[in-house]
Amino acid sequence: MAAVSKLPQLLPPGLPASEEPFAGGYEIVWSVYIRCKSLQKLREVHIPALEALIGQPHGGKGWLYDNERYIKNRDRSLKRIIALKRIPGPYTDQILVDFMKTLYSLSSYWTIQARLDPSHPRGLYVCASFRSEPPPSETPAVVDAQVELEANFTDAMGGESGRYLGSGQRIS
């Protein structure tokens, strides 16, 4: 794991820059591509298998499905599911340990960028991604995933997350 001192991370509008350590909550954003032929199979077979490995990162609210109609030449057998999990702050090392255990239960081949200084004014930040080559045939057939652990600035500002989470269609 490579620690990066200055990862690009933008503060939301209206949140003043600070030198004080971030003391708010965190959130984990999952974006997972699964190869399957239908939404029914995704719902009935792949999502339960995925959740058996990593748990329910959406906190019981269900995965969101992004049909990505706007991408012309995309592989139609790839289904993208997205979840957001909020973790109340302040940061403890157990948050990172649990996060890394969850990642590695899905795949051991992650590319990880991280700012691992909990006293940083923008909080701890980890961005992990992997791409399976060749795609697995077993369930869940996860071929691509990106997961981010970052400070939840929207709670600090008293609002809802402005993060784009797909088309908003519930899948489970």
Side-chain angles (χ1 to χ4, degrees):
M1 182 182 323
V4 178
S5 61
K6 292 186 179 183
L7 289 176
Q9 186 179 31
L10 299 176
L11 291 172
L15 187 65
S18 172
E19 296 301 318
E20 296 296 315
F22 180 78
Y26 283 80
E27 60 188 23
I28 299 173
V29 181
W30 288 83
S31 178
V32 180
Y33 284 89
I34 296 177
R35 185 175 307 284
C36 69
K37 296 190 185 309
S38 71
L39 288 178
Q40 181 179 350
K41 187 171 183 181
L42 177 67
R43 185 181 301 110
E44 295 174 1
V45 178
H46 291 276
I47 288 179
L50 177 66
E51 289 181 346
L53 290 172
I54 65 171
Q56 294 184 333
H58 48 71
K61 292 183 179 179
W63 291 88
L64 296 177
Y65 170 69
D66 190 356
N67 61 17
E68 297 186 322
R69 285 188 216 145
Y70 54 89
I71 300 175
K72 289 183 181 179
N73 298 322
R74 75 173 180 87
D75 181 345
R76 302 288 181 218
S77 69
L78 287 181
K79 312 293 186 230
R80 180 179 182 217
I81 57 175
I82 306 163
L84 176 85
K85 178 180 180 180
R86 289 202 164 87
I87 301 170
Y91 171 81
T92 66
D93 286 339
Q94 192 62 44
I95 291 174
L96 182 62
V97 170
D98 292 344
F99 177 67
M100 298 304 285
K101 283 181 181 177
T102 304
L103 288 181
Y104 281 95
S105 67
L106 182 58
S107 171
S108 57
Y109 301 102
W110 289 91
T111 300
I112 297 173
Q113 288 186 312
R115 178 183 58 237
L116 298 177
D117 180 3
S119 65
H120 193 283
R122 293 186 186 171
L124 190 89
Y125 178 75
V126 180
C127 178
S129 62
F130 85 89
R131 182 162 182 83
S132 178
E133 300 288 343
S137 58
E138 68 274 1
T139 303
V142 176
V143 297
D144 201 355
Q146 178 170 320
V147 188
E148 293 178 89
L149 168 69
E150 64 180 27
N152 181 358
F153 295 116
T154 55
D155 278 354
M157 296 173 59
E160 289 294 317
S161 177
R163 184 180 289 276
Y164 170 74
L165 290 177
S167 63
Q169 178 183 350
R170 293 255 175 240
I171 191 69
S172 64

